Amino acid sequence: MATVDDCDVTMDPEMEILSDEEMEREAESFKEQGNAYYIKKDYSEAFNYYTKAIDMCPKNSSYYGNRAATLMMLSRHREALEDSQQAVRLDDTFMKGHLREGKCHLSLGNAMAASRCFHRVLELEPDNSQAQQEVKSADSVLEYEKMAEIGFEKRDFRMVVFCMDRALESASACHRFKVLKAECLAMLGRYPEAQSVASDILRMDSTNGDALYVRGLCLYYEDCIDKAVQFFVQALRMAPDHEKARLACRNAKALKAKKEDGNKAFKDGNYDAAYELYSEALTIDPNNIKTNAKLFCNRGTVGSKLKKIDQAIEDCTKAIKLDETYIKAYLRRAQCYLDKEEYDEAVRDYEKVYQTEKTKEHKHLLKNAQLELKKSKRKDYYKVLGVDKNATEDEIKKAYRKRALMHHPDRHSSASAEVQKEEEKKFKEVGEAFTVLSDPKKKSRYDSGHDLEDDTGNMGADFDANNIFKAFFGGGGGQGYSFEANQCLRASRTLWKDDHFHLLRFQRMRLAAYVIAKECCALGSRNV
């Protein structure tokens, strides 16, 4: 077996053992080279030479101080803090060491520790202007921290963002301040800014639980729930006690489940259940603006199916208040306004939609609403007759018969002049409505919103409702609103058979007309 004595060991000439004095000179040479690179702003090379100096002479506080200054320029503040602390441990009177330690603490957001370091400098050198200024900076950061804490409790997120911006001017490397700012930006709906801040932190520290939580929060508030949950889970993996991430993860899962259950109930036609499920989902997280806007709109859609039109409009309005760019909510609300025949509001919503998205479909919807608005400003003949817009020809005839007899002036001959005038006007309107709705061409043009002035031949001036009445019930000419024999016979039959309740009101009719009607009725009974 070979022994040590058998080995021929060749010593590296450069590995010769130096004396302490030589090592100090070598270390000083490295320091000088490091200073030269520092002046040139080549901080990486300066760092290398200061490290060589420390390796040669690890008990020299100034070397640690210089390397700390270099690390600060490289934005490696935590390493710089360690070097600064080592420097003052080696020499508690090393003023620059205390000053640099304080700056590192301040940059990292520990203003109280920074303040202690600066006060130590002032103990060593009471007139040190730099330390005096740094004390003020540390005090300002502490004050902004307090203001931000109060603002967060009051949910004044704009105030928190303002305070953090001011604090970060001194504490530029403080991840805690940046995360708080990012969280508040997310709460304000400024998601791109919040994500940018969080991503910057994660580039430097991929395991930062707070930054992972904020990234997830932004995705959660943008209704990307599946991706958000992934970030929350990752944040909890990095920081198992992260309560905010745990709560957000639970809310995200619950919100997704309720929303999906509501959607399924809606598709299955179970509108009452869908309404309740969407309502329950809305109570999970009031801060999730985008998802809640969709839930309000969904509930509004269900409300319209359940004929809760006012509630549907209210829900759509809430959705729009949460998200002013939510086109679907405007469209749903506009349709509800149409259903309520509130055409001005419907047109206003469709105009907003068309201004945002100029599609053919939206243009068509706007034109239809404008047409309905135009039609609503005309006389509504369907309302005059008391029938639906889809009424059949027989239903229109039956409605005319009832309304014409109800408003016939002879029925109100003993009423006051004012009542007679009003009934005469209604009688005329009934005849006018029947003239239009009983004529297929006129009805079609009326339903399409066309002007009927040319078709009706100045109906307001020359139209004779009595002629329509005679033509409908049968009968010859005659003047005014008098009944002729055949006309009275038909009218009386109708009154006895279809409108006998109102016959009781004939007590106030003109005596002559009543006698004629009664005789006609008797004659009709003998001939039936």
Side-chain angles (χ1 to χ4, degrees):
M1 177 180 287
T3 65
V4 175
D5 293 336
D6 296 328
C7 296
D8 185 11
V9 179
T10 303
M11 296 292 293
D12 187 340
E14 294 184 5
M15 293 293 291
E16 58 183 276
I17 299 174
L18 301 176
S19 65
D20 290 344
E21 186 177 341
E22 289 174 324
M23 290 180 70
E24 288 178 4
R25 281 200 301 270
E26 189 75 12
E28 194 65 21
S29 173
F30 287 139
K31 186 193 86 167
E32 293 300 327
Q33 292 179 71
N35 290 347
Y37 280 113
Y38 188 92
I39 292 170
K40 294 177 182 178
K41 297 184 179 181
D42 188 346
Y43 301 117
S44 295
E45 279 301 308
F47 171 82
N48 291 334
Y49 279 99
Y50 289 140
T51 300
K52 290 179 180 180
I54 289 171
D55 291 340
M56 296 296 292
C57 193
K59 299 295 183 181
N60 190 308
S61 61
S62 67
Y63 298 164
Y64 286 100
N66 285 5
R67 191 169 72 172
T70 304
L71 287 167
M72 290 170 69
M73 299 306 295
L74 291 170
S75 297
R76 293 161 61 178
H77 294 90
R78 294 194 181 280
E79 296 171 75
L81 177 60
E82 292 175 5
D83 275 356
S84 299
Q85 290 173 329
Q86 179 62 19
V88 297
R89 275 195 292 269
L90 293 170
D91 181 4
D92 186 49
T93 64
F94 184 28
M95 184 185 65
K96 286 186 177 180
H98 286 294
L99 193 60
R100 286 170 183 151
E101 181 187 358
K103 287 183 176 181
C104 288
H105 278 306
L106 189 57
S107 293
L108 293 168
N110 192 346
M112 292 187 69
S115 186
R116 286 195 296 270
C117 294
F118 297 140
H119 279 100
R120 175 58 180 153
V121 173
L122 292 173
E123 289 176 9
L124 297 170
E125 188 179 313
D127 296 330
N128 189 300
S129 60
Q130 189 175 2
Q132 291 172 349
Q133 184 59 44
E134 294 293 352
V135 167
K136 292 179 181 179
S137 297
D139 290 343
S140 294
V141 170
L142 286 170
E143 185 63 28
Y144 285 125
E145 274 193 88
K146 291 177 183 177
M147 290 170 63
E149 184 178 352
I150 294 170
F152 195 87
E153 289 177 359
K154 292 182 177 180
R155 301 185 64 80
D156 186 353
F157 301 121
R158 285 186 176 81
M159 173 58 74
V160 179
V161 171
F162 170 80
C163 291
M164 290 300 94
D165 279 337
R166 300 289 81 74
L168 284 166
E169 290 175 0
S170 299
S172 59
C174 181
H175 288 176
R176 182 165 51 90
F177 290 171
K178 290 179 180 180
V179 166
L180 181 57
K181 174 186 175 180
E183 183 178 357
C184 290
L185 287 170
M187 300 300 277
L188 291 169
R190 294 160 62 179
Y191 306 121
E193 295 173 74
Q195 288 186 20
S196 177
V197 175
S199 297
D200 286 345
I201 296 172
L202 290 171
R203 274 193 289 271
M204 293 182 282
D205 179 9
S206 61
T207 65
N208 190 296
D210 290 329
L212 289 168
Y213 159 70
V214 171
R215 283 286 287 119
L217 194 66
C218 291
L219 291 166
Y220 171 55
Y221 285 157
E222 288 185 294
D223 201 33
C224 300
I225 293 180
D226 289 333
K227 289 184 179 180
V229 169
Q230 293 176 10
F231 275 95
F232 293 144
V233 170
Q234 192 176 352
L236 289 168
R237 194 176 294 125
M238 298 297 108
D241 296 329
H242 203 299
E243 286 301 321
K244 288 184 177 180
R246 181 175 287 105
L247 177 62
C249 190
R250 185 165 63 244
N251 284 345
K253 290 178 178 179
L255 199 57
K256 180 185 177 184
K258 284 289 182 186
K259 184 181 176 184
E260 288 178 349
D261 289 345
N263 292 346
K264 184 178 184 303
F266 180 81
K267 288 178 182 177
D268 293 342
N270 192 349
Y271 300 130
D272 288 315
Y275 192 92
E276 289 303 316
L277 287 164
Y278 288 139
S279 297
E280 290 171 14
L282 283 164
T283 65
I284 293 174
D285 186 0
N287 295 320
N288 195 323
I289 293 172
K290 208 155 198 174
T291 302
N292 286 343
K294 292 181 179 180
L295 288 169
F296 274 122
C297 187
N298 287 0
R299 194 172 74 173
T301 302
V302 176
S304 67
K305 293 288 186 182
L306 293 170
K307 305 304 180 184
K308 299 178 180 178
I309 304 300
D310 289 332
Q311 181 63 49
I313 290 173
E314 184 179 342
D315 279 343
C316 290
T317 300
K318 288 178 180 177
I320 291 167
K321 187 175 181 181
L322 291 175
D323 183 1
E324 293 182 353
T325 66
Y326 194 12
I327 296 298
K328 189 176 179 180
Y330 282 105
L331 291 172
R332 171 55 54 194
R333 188 172 70 174
Q335 182 58 54
C336 289
Y337 280 136
L338 287 178
D339 293 341
K340 285 194 68 180
E341 299 184 359
E342 296 180 5
Y343 302 114
D344 284 308
E345 289 78 3
V347 167
R348 194 154 43 242
D349 277 351
Y350 283 130
E351 284 177 342
K352 173 70 175 179
V353 170
Y354 186 64
Q355 287 170 4
T356 306
E357 293 182 359
K358 296 185 183 301
T359 66
K360 289 183 178 180
E361 181 186 0
H362 294 159
K363 184 177 182 180
H364 177 69
L365 290 169
L366 174 58
K367 281 192 170 183
N368 281 349
Q370 290 170 334
L371 176 60
E372 291 300 325
L373 176 60
K374 178 183 176 182
K375 288 160 63 176
S376 71
K377 296 185 182 298
R378 307 174 309 173
K379 197 175 292 181
D380 190 335
Y381 291 143
Y382 290 101
K383 282 187 177 180
V384 170
L385 291 183
V387 295
D388 186 77
K389 292 183 178 180
N390 298 316
T392 64
E393 183 179 350
D394 287 341
E395 288 172 337
I396 290 171
K397 287 181 178 179
K398 185 176 179 181
Y400 169 69
R401 180 172 63 245
K402 179 180 178 181
R403 295 295 174 110
L405 292 172
M406 183 187 302
H407 298 297
H408 196 287
D410 280 353
R411 177 171 285 186
H412 305 280
S413 60
S414 61
S416 66
E418 184 179 348
V419 171
Q420 289 184 32
K421 185 176 181 181
E422 182 63 25
E423 292 298 327
E424 184 178 336
K425 177 183 177 183
K426 289 180 179 178
F427 180 70
K428 183 177 180 181
E429 286 179 346
V430 168
E432 186 179 327
F434 181 71
T435 299
V436 172
L437 299 184
S438 62
D439 184 315
K441 284 187 177 181
K442 289 180 180 179
K443 183 177 183 297
S444 176
R445 288 178 59 78
Y446 176 79
D447 289 342
S448 300
H450 289 93
D451 194 347
L452 299 178
E453 284 296 320
D454 296 335
D455 296 341
T456 57
N458 291 323
M459 194 177 287
D462 301 329
F463 175 76
D464 189 342
N466 191 48
N467 289 336
I468 301 299
F469 186 91
K470 290 176 183 178
F472 183 84
F473 287 103
Q479 302 299 318
Y481 293 101
S482 61
F483 285 90
E484 295 190 1
N486 192 38
Q487 177 183 344
C488 289
L489 176 60
R490 291 177 181 271
S492 299
R493 281 178 177 172
T494 303
L495 286 169
W496 282 111
K497 293 165 71 174
D498 296 337
D499 208 20
H500 59 276
F501 173 78
H502 293 289
L503 190 61
L504 298 174
R505 301 176 64 184
F506 272 29
Q507 294 174 2
R508 300 177 61 186
M509 288 179 60
R510 191 168 51 197
L511 181 59
Y514 177 77
V515 171
I516 292 172
K518 186 175 181 182
E519 289 177 353
C520 287
C521 185
L523 178 60
S525 298
R526 291 194 295 273
N527 294 332
V528 172

